[in-house]
């Protein structure tokens, strides 16, 4: 996001129009954004609304105005407050899906490598690396006391003697410490192909070029194995 | 309607006619229509699956396979709550059921999508189709352990049924990896297996639960994503809430207590649990644990998903710093069921990985956790000395 010295957005209107046009082009948009009575049921049930300046009703109302300026105001941090729980979608009397519409806007922010998206997702890079390079998202050796001190003193149990404790889990697929389960190389290679063809690798390149380089090194190693 | 996504990798459009909005369509019927036209292949439930009936939100019948299951594992469960999948497989062993747990499975990638948006419908649907096809070629029916996988795969199934261009794009990618688009007749969550098996499970229970009060945290992605494809039962909360988890707790003889914020999420937020943890922590204590303890005097919180179990369990300790005194052990419905049926708290239910104290619950039920702990520690020493692991199945 670009601002002048008074904090006013200096992003050209044409660019904002382009962003809205991109959202409306998504094949899910017309299913997610229907009529809105402004009843506020979605916001009343929205969990993050209790903790953030965030309202799915506002999201719907802004989209319904078709005003690129208003929609642009949500592309910064606003859309990242959503928990993606879909409470709003379940309870909307008009069958709108504000959570789905937010997913569309987030996809645009990431695809275009917006600075706000890069900033929000920076602490997420370790998870992205695991998932895209190895095929599952969370590994037992990620649960370290220094990373999760707020989970209490017992969390150190999860990292001590990890190898033998994982071996004691009576599922052979889980007897590994650096992945949730031991993903076979053939499954990983198929996943890489999917990420190539669907553009997932390109998205990561846009939002985190240095992470993309690291992932590609691993991908090349696995592909040539 | 001609729609092209920004990457120009997919040319996705919709030619589907909506009568009353997507949520009121029975996708099972539409899937079979597409099959009859030769447009898609469908993975059907067969007699070997020994399916049981259940009813969904609008009273539509859903068949839940109980046998010949392909386990679609969960990243967070396998990484952080290993007793979750182990308890499920252990229960299946008690009934002599056939299943496959294997390495040739990828994550659904949907936790990542809902946290970071670094995917798109073509990517998500292709990952789903890849894992479905793997189950199909083995002749087993996929059962999803994670609620986010369940929600995502239901959504991808619907999008694939509704959009020919998405189907064509996914077919193209599947052919490129030597696979085909085969859509399961039903998308199944493990909690649905537990639900339809609840009376069988209750027959093998080892403890009386008449004095144990349970609160249930229903997972958002189980019943809020594609809500019409989730089990409801008129005898459980008068059919006004999803029946899974509550059903098995009642069948086991526990008291299920209501609390005012049952509908709230857990605070996981997909992104927030990793990058804005103060939000998750506050949500857990204010909106879930406090009401469960103060309103329901709960002995245990039963969950039905990966993220919820982690978030609700791990964030109670830090609450003490802000003056919260409420604590309640957290475990999945299937872990609780296995525990009550005599599964070892350490070797099978693997409660030692949980951070909120679960020992008082075991004592209330009458389970000797100390004996179990001794046995487990001795087992670890055996393994350290080069002993062979005792597994639930032999990996081929």
């Amino acid at each position: 996001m670009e601002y002048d010295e008074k904090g006013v957005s200096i992003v050209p209107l044409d660019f904002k129009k382009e962003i809205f046009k991109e959202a409306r082009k998504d094949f899910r948009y017309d299913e997610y954004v229907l009529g809105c009575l402004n009843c506020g049921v979605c916001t009343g049930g929205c969990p993050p609304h209790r903790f953030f300046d965030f309202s799915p009703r506002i999201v719907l109302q802004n989209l319904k105005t078709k005003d690129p300026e208003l929609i642009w105001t949500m592309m910064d941090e606003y859309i990242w407050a959503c928990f993606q729980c879909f409470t709003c979608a379940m309870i909307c009397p008009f069958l709108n899906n504000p959570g789905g519409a937010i997913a569309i806007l987030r996809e645009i922010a990431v695809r275009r490598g917006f600075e706000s998206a890069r900033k929000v997702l920076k602490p997420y890079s370790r998870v992205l690396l695991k998932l895209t390079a190895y095929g599952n998202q969370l590994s037992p050796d990620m649960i370290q006391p220094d990373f999760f001190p707020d989970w209490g003193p017992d969390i150190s149990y999860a990292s001590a003697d990890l190898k033998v404790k994982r071996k004691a889990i009576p599922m052979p697929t889980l007897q590994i410490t650096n992945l949730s389960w031991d993903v076979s190389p053939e499954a990983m290679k198929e996943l890489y192909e999917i990420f190539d063809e669907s553009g997932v690798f390109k998205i990561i390149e846009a939002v985190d070029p240095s992470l993309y380089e690291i992932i590609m090194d691993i991908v090349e190693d696995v592909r040539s194995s | 309607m001609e729609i092209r996504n920004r990457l120009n990798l997919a040319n996705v459009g919709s030619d589907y006619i909506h009568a009353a909005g997507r949520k009121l369509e029975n996708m099972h019927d539409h899937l079979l229509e597409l099959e009859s036209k030769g447009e898609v292949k469908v993975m059907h439930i067969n007699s070997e699956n020994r399916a049981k009936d259940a009813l969904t939100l609008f009273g539509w019948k859903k068949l839940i396979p109980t046998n010949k299951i392909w386990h679609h594992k969960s990243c967070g469960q396998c990484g952080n709550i290993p007793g979750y999948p182990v308890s499920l497989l252990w229960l299946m062993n008690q009934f002599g059921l056939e299943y496959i747990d294997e390495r040739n499975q990828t994550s659904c990638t949907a936790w990542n999508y809902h946290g970071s948006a670094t995917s798109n419908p073509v990517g998500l649907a292709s990952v789903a189709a890849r894992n479905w096809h793997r189950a199909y070629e083995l002749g087993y029916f996929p059962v999803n352990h994670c609620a986010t996988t369940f929600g995502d795969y239901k959504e991808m199934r619907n999008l694939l049924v509704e959009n020919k261009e998405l189907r064509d794009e996914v077919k193209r990618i599947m052919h490129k990896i030597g696979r085909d688009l085969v859509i399961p007749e039903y998308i199944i969550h493990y909690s649905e297996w537990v639900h339809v098996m609840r009376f069988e499970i209750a027959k093998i229970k080892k403890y009386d639960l008449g004095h144990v009060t349970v609160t249930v945290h229903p997972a958002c992605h189980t019943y809020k994503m594609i809500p019409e494809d989730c089990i409801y039962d008129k005898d459980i909360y008068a059919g006004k809430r999803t029946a899974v988890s509550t059903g098995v707790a009642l069948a086991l003889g526990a008291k299920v207590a209501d609390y005012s914020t049952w509908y709230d999420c857990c605070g996981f937020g997909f992104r927030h649990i990793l990058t804005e943890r103060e939000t998750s922590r506050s949500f857990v204590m204010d909106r879930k644990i406090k009401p469960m303890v103060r309103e329901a005097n709960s002995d245990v919180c039963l969950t039905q998903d990966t993220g919820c179990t982690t978030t609700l369990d791990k964030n109670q300790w830090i609450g003490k710093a802000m003056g919260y005194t409420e604590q309640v052990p957290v475990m999945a419905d299937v872990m609780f069921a296995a525990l009550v049926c005599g599964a070892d708290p350490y070797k099978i239910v693997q409660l030692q990985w949980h951070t909120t104290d679960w020992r008082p619950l075991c004592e209330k039920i009458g389970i000797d956790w100390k004996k179990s702990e001794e046995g487990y520690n001795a087992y670890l020493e055996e393994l350290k000395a080069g002993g062979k692991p005792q597994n639930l199945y032999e990996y081929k």
Side-chain angles (χ1 to χ4, degrees):
Chain A
M1 306 288 169
E2 295 172 50
Y3 302 93
D4 66 12
E5 67 280 3
K6 290 177 184 168
V8 177
S9 170
I10 54 170
V11 174
L13 180 62
D14 282 349
F15 184 73
K16 294 171 186 172
K17 283 181 180 171
E18 194 181 315
I19 295 301
F20 181 45
K21 200 174 161 192
E22 192 172 328
R24 294 196 69 187
K25 269 187 169 181
D26 190 291
F27 75 106
R28 297 162 293 176
Y29 188 89
D30 288 338
E31 290 188 26
Y32 293 168
V33 182
L34 305 168
C36 177
L37 267 188
N38 223 347
C39 68
V41 165
C42 54
T43 298
C46 171
H49 175 65
R50 295 178 182 279
F51 289 84
F52 293 99
D53 176 18
F54 171 77
S55 160
R57 181 186 64 81
I58 299 283
V59 173
L60 245 295
Q61 285 291 314
N62 283 352
L63 290 169
K64 291 302 291 181
T65 64
K66 300 178 184 172
D67 179 350
E69 293 282 3
L70 273 178
I71 292 150
W72 179 253
T73 62
M74 303 191 294
M75 295 301 288
D76 206 336
E77 289 181 6
Y78 200 83
I79 51 173
W80 295 100
C82 172
F83 280 1
Q84 290 284 285
C85 64
F86 297 99
T87 305
C88 52
M90 186 181 188
I91 59 181
C92 173
F94 268 70
L95 306 177
N96 288 297
N97 185 347
I102 286 166
I104 292 171
L105 297 177
R106 283 183 175 185
E107 281 184 35
I108 295 169
V110 169
R111 234 172 13 229
R112 286 177 169 262
F114 285 172
E115 191 53 40
S116 55
R118 290 182 184 206
K119 196 176 143 194
V120 164
L121 296 180
K122 200 68 196 167
Y124 207 79
S125 55
R126 204 166 166 219
V127 168
L128 261 178
L129 171 70
K130 279 280 175 192
L131 181 75
T132 46
Y134 299 109
N136 62 41
Q137 175 151 348
L138 186 141
S139 63
D141 61 7
M142 286 165 98
I143 313 293
Q144 298 291 337
D146 56 345
F147 196 72
F148 293 98
D150 52 334
W151 285 5
D154 288 348
I155 201 65
S156 58
Y157 177 89
S159 53
D161 279 338
L162 185 60
K163 202 173 171 185
V164 71
K165 284 175 190 162
R166 292 294 293 187
K167 203 174 173 186
I169 297 168
M171 286 172 64
T173 51
L174 270 58
Q175 291 164 0
I176 183 170
T177 59
N178 64 345
L179 281 175
S180 293
W181 69 87
D182 190 8
V183 182
S184 65
E186 61 264 42
M188 283 193 214
K189 288 174 190 172
E190 288 180 18
L191 196 62
Y192 300 156
E193 202 66 32
I194 289 169
F195 288 163
D196 260 339
E197 294 295 323
S198 61
V200 171
F201 281 145
K202 282 190 179 177
I203 295 168
I204 293 167
E205 188 179 15
V207 79
D208 194 339
S210 50
L211 177 68
Y212 172 77
E213 293 300 324
I214 297 168
I215 291 169
M216 282 302 114
D217 285 346
I218 298 167
V219 167
E220 278 171 32
D221 282 351
V222 174
R223 275 180 164 160
S224 60
S225 65
Chain B
M1 188 163 50
E2 181 68 24
I3 294 169
R4 184 175 292 274
N5 79 6
R6 290 297 302 176
L7 291 169
N8 287 326
L9 290 166
N11 190 5
V12 179
S14 174
D15 54 3
Y16 195 76
I17 306 301
H18 297 274
R22 180 170 61 84
K23 290 181 180 172
L24 300 179
E25 301 289 346
N26 187 342
M27 281 302 150
H28 181 258
D29 292 348
H30 292 301
L31 179 64
L32 298 189
E33 275 173 35
L34 284 178
E35 183 190 32
S36 67
K37 290 175 187 165
E39 180 62 30
V40 293
K41 286 183 186 168
V42 174
M43 189 189 320
H44 287 278
I45 285 178
N46 60 39
S47 59
E48 284 189 307
N49 295 128
R50 295 185 221 159
K52 289 176 183 274
D53 289 2
L55 295 180
T56 55
L57 182 62
F58 298 132
W60 298 331
K61 190 167 83 173
K62 183 171 185 178
L63 295 179
I64 313 296
T66 64
N67 189 42
K68 291 207 87 172
I69 301 299
W70 188 75
H71 285 288
H72 189 299
K73 296 180 288 298
S74 151
C75 304
Q77 287 174 23
C78 293
N80 190 36
I81 330 162
Y84 206 143
V86 172
S87 295
L88 180 61
L89 269 60
W90 182 86
L91 275 172
M92 289 190 170
N93 281 3
Q94 304 312 299
F95 300 110
L97 300 171
E98 286 181 71
Y99 58 79
I100 289 178
D101 166 41
E102 63 164 350
R103 298 171 67 209
N104 198 343
Q105 181 221 322
T106 73
S107 164
C108 69
T109 73
W111 172 4
N112 177 63
Y113 174 72
H114 291 295
S116 74
T118 49
S119 189
N120 55 39
V122 175
L124 291 166
S126 298
V127 170
R130 186 257 165 229
N131 286 323
W132 292 338
H133 188 265
R134 176 58 187 164
Y136 173 76
E137 69 184 2
L138 293 171
Y140 282 64
F141 206 86
V143 166
N144 306 295
H145 291 190
C146 181
T148 290
T149 306
F150 179 56
D152 173 57
Y153 283 9
K154 284 191 292 183
E155 189 169 45
M156 291 309 123
R157 181 265 323 265
N158 286 11
L159 291 177
L160 284 163
V161 169
E162 290 171 344
N163 297 281
K164 179 171 170 27
E165 286 167 78
L166 178 64
R167 278 200 302 277
D168 290 345
E169 182 64 3
V170 172
K171 279 179 189 172
R172 183 186 69 77
I173 295 174
M174 286 303 102
H175 294 161
K176 192 144 193 181
I177 62 172
R179 297 193 179 276
D180 204 353
L181 174 61
V182 184
I183 302 176
E185 185 180 2
Y186 296 100
I187 305 296
I188 308 293
H189 188 229
Y190 87 86
S191 68
E192 299 181 313
W193 181 91
V194 173
H195 184 74
V196 299
M197 290 294 289
R198 67 194 186 281
F199 298 119
E200 308 296 319
I201 293 169
K203 283 179 195 164
I204 61 167
K205 74 170 184 172
K206 300 282 191 290
Y207 302 96
D208 175 44
L209 296 181
H211 59 308
V212 174
T213 302
V214 163
T215 41
V216 173
H217 167 69
C220 297
H221 285 189
T222 305
Y223 77 106
K224 292 175 186 169
M225 284 185 84
I226 321 297
E228 69 274 19
D229 195 353
C230 187
I231 295 177
Y232 285 73
D233 184 322
K234 65 181 172 53
D235 293 327
I236 297 172
Y237 285 120
K240 296 194 184 302
R241 295 184 202 170
T242 178
V244 295
S245 305
T246 301
V248 71
L250 291 172
L252 288 167
K255 289 186 285 186
V256 179
D258 204 1
Y259 62 106
S260 58
T261 55
W262 67 270
Y263 61 88
D264 256 337
C265 75
C266 62
F268 182 68
F270 298 88
R271 180 180 72 80
H272 302 75
I273 186 68
L274 291 166
T275 62
E276 288 193 47
R277 296 224 298 277
E278 67 281 10
T279 309
S280 297
R281 293 195 293 254
S282 302
F283 205 92
V284 163
M285 293 313 299
D286 268 335
R287 298 295 298 175
K288 300 304 293 194
I289 301 301
K290 201 167 153 184
M292 280 178 192
V293 174
R294 288 206 182 174
E295 297 172 16
N297 200 21
S298 176
D299 293 310
V300 60
C301 162
L302 295 191
T303 55
Q304 54 196 227
D305 181 37
T306 314
C308 316
T309 311
T310 301
T311 309
L312 294 171
D313 173 49
K314 299 286 191 275
N315 287 297
Q316 294 188 43
W317 179 84
I318 194 69
K320 290 176 191 169
M322 295 303 290
Y324 292 98
T325 54
E326 298 82 3
Q327 300 268 297
V328 65
V330 179
M331 64 186 74
D333 51 3
V334 70
M335 299 167 80
F336 184 68
L339 195 65
V340 173
C341 292
D344 190 299
Y346 278 78
K347 288 182 182 170
I348 300 299
V349 191
Q350 302 263 332
L351 289 171
Q352 63 273 25
W353 301 91
H354 293 223
T355 55
T356 303
D357 197 5
W358 42 270
R359 292 162 192 85
L361 172 71
C362 284
E363 285 161 12
K364 190 163 187 178
I365 294 173
I367 296 167
D368 187 352
W369 63 267
K370 286 179 186 164
K371 192 178 165 192
S372 171
E373 185 183 37
E374 284 169 18
Y376 177 71
N377 287 337
Y379 178 47
L380 291 183
E381 291 305 316
E382 276 174 43
L383 291 175
K384 278 181 194 170
K388 207 177 161 195
Q390 300 156 12
N391 293 325
L392 289 172
Y393 63 89
E394 191 183 341
Y395 196 84
K396 291 171 189 167

